[in-house]
Amino acid sequence: FAAEGPVFCSGHDLKEFSNEDDVKHHSQVFELCAEVMTLIQKLPVPVIAKVNGLATAAGCQLVASCDIAVASEKSQFATPGVNIGLFCSTPAVALGRSLPRKVALEMLFTGEPLSAHEALMHGLVSKVVPEDRLEEETMKISQKICESSKSVLALGKATFYRQITQDLDTAYKITTKVMVDNLTLRDGQEGIEAFVQKRKPVWSH
């Protein structure tokens, strides 16, 4: 995900939440947003946010929902809904799963932004680079990912999100089975054979 201009994403258009619209309309807006955020994790490929500017409210939620986020040094991240009387409860779902609880709650309670380097320190973004290197660094990560097997990546991503909410024993049971399943994939065997034969693997996709 990327954007042009000084704002990566400012979230919802507040004009959609006037009293002229009914509760059903408001529910549809938030349900659609939640569907988009959850679909990101269900996609079989990694999703990268390339952030150059301000990401607020649902825009900050979008960054937190992506698998990887690369930000320019000028980027900022905020959940300022509390300041206009609409607490960022749905962004809090993604923030609470990406940031330490106290950092997420300070953002949610105050609306004050995190700088790009603060976002990196707390785990909201993966990397911070100068603005003139943002495209290059994002593409470098993307190209490296594209060198791997699509089926192996899809299995690994799905498993990561499945196990992360489990207790330790359950997480190991899930991932142990998946490692065995991974070995049954055509690309799983191809990768091991290529390693043993000291050659570059040829993936099925």
Side-chain angles (χ1 to χ4, degrees), residues 45-103:
V45 293
V47 178
I48 303 172
K50 184 178 80 171
V51 187
N52 189 29
L54 188 62
T56 63
C60 190
Q61 179 184 5
L62 179 61
V63 175
S65 298
C66 287
D67 303 310
I68 297 171
V70 184
S72 69
E73 291 173 328
K74 75 175 191 180
S75 299
Q76 290 189 307
F77 306 86
T79 48
V82 69
N83 298 327
I84 58 159
L86 183 63
F87 197 87
C88 286
S89 293
T90 48
V93 175
L95 277 185
R97 285 161 170 74
S98 296
L99 293 165
R101 182 179 300 180
K102 288 176 174 59
V103 176

Side-chain angles (χ1 to χ4, degrees), residues 169-194:
D169 288 340
T170 304
Y172 273 117
K173 283 177 186 172
I174 290 169
T175 54
T176 297
K177 183 182 183 306
V178 171
M179 293 291 286
V180 173
D181 293 342
N182 195 155
L183 287 171
T184 68
L185 293 178
R186 177 178 165 187
D187 282 353
Q189 286 302 308
E190 167 61 16
I192 291 170
E193 286 175 16

Side-chain angles (χ1 to χ4, degrees), residues 6-190:
V7 176
F8 171 75
C9 180
S10 57
H12 293 289
D13 179 357
L14 295 178
K15 292 173 186 171
E16 287 189 284
F17 302 130
S18 69
N19 280 333
E20 294 172 12
D21 296 310
D22 59 16
V23 171
K24 183 180 177 184
H25 171 77
H26 296 162
S27 295
Q28 288 172 338
V29 170
F30 289 116
E31 285 166 8
L32 181 60
C33 182
E35 184 181 350
V36 169
M37 301 301 169
T38 54
L39 275 173
I40 290 170
Q41 292 185 359
K42 292 175 184 174
L43 288 171
V45 293
V47 178
I48 303 172
K50 184 178 80 171
V51 187
N52 189 29
L54 188 62
T56 63
C60 190
Q61 179 184 5
L62 179 61
V63 175
S65 298
C66 287
D67 303 310
I68 297 171
V70 184
S72 69
E73 291 173 328
K74 75 175 191 180
S75 299
Q76 290 189 307
F77 306 86
T79 48
V82 69
N83 298 327
I84 58 159
L86 183 63
F87 197 87
C88 286
S89 293
T90 48
V93 175
L95 277 185
R97 285 161 170 74
S98 296
L99 293 165
R101 182 179 300 180
K102 288 176 174 59
V103 176
L105 286 171
E106 182 179 344
M107 287 181 72
L108 292 160
F109 290 157
T110 68
E112 288 297 305
L114 287 184
S115 70
H117 287 289
E118 288 171 324
L120 176 64
M121 179 174 67
H122 295 304
L124 182 58
V125 300
S126 324
K127 187 177 278 194
V128 175
V129 297
E131 185 178 5
D132 62 358
R133 284 183 43 220
L134 182 61
E135 176 71 17
E136 175 192 346
E137 287 296 323
T138 306
M139 289 309 297
K140 188 175 168 185
I141 294 168
S142 179
Q143 286 161 0
K144 181 63 181 170
I145 290 169
C146 288
E147 291 174 9
S148 296
S149 159
K150 187 176 178 182
S151 59
V152 171
L153 282 168
L155 180 65
K157 176 175 172 176
T159 305
F160 177 85
Y161 286 113
R162 187 173 157 215
Q163 65 82 26
I164 200 71
T165 58
Q166 305 295 322
D167 64 80
L168 195 62
D169 288 340
T170 304
Y172 273 117
K173 283 177 186 172
I174 290 169
T175 54
T176 297
K177 183 182 183 306
V178 171
M179 293 291 286
V180 173
D181 293 342
N182 195 155
L183 287 171
T184 68
L185 293 178
R186 177 178 165 187
D187 282 353
Q189 286 302 308
E190 167 61 16

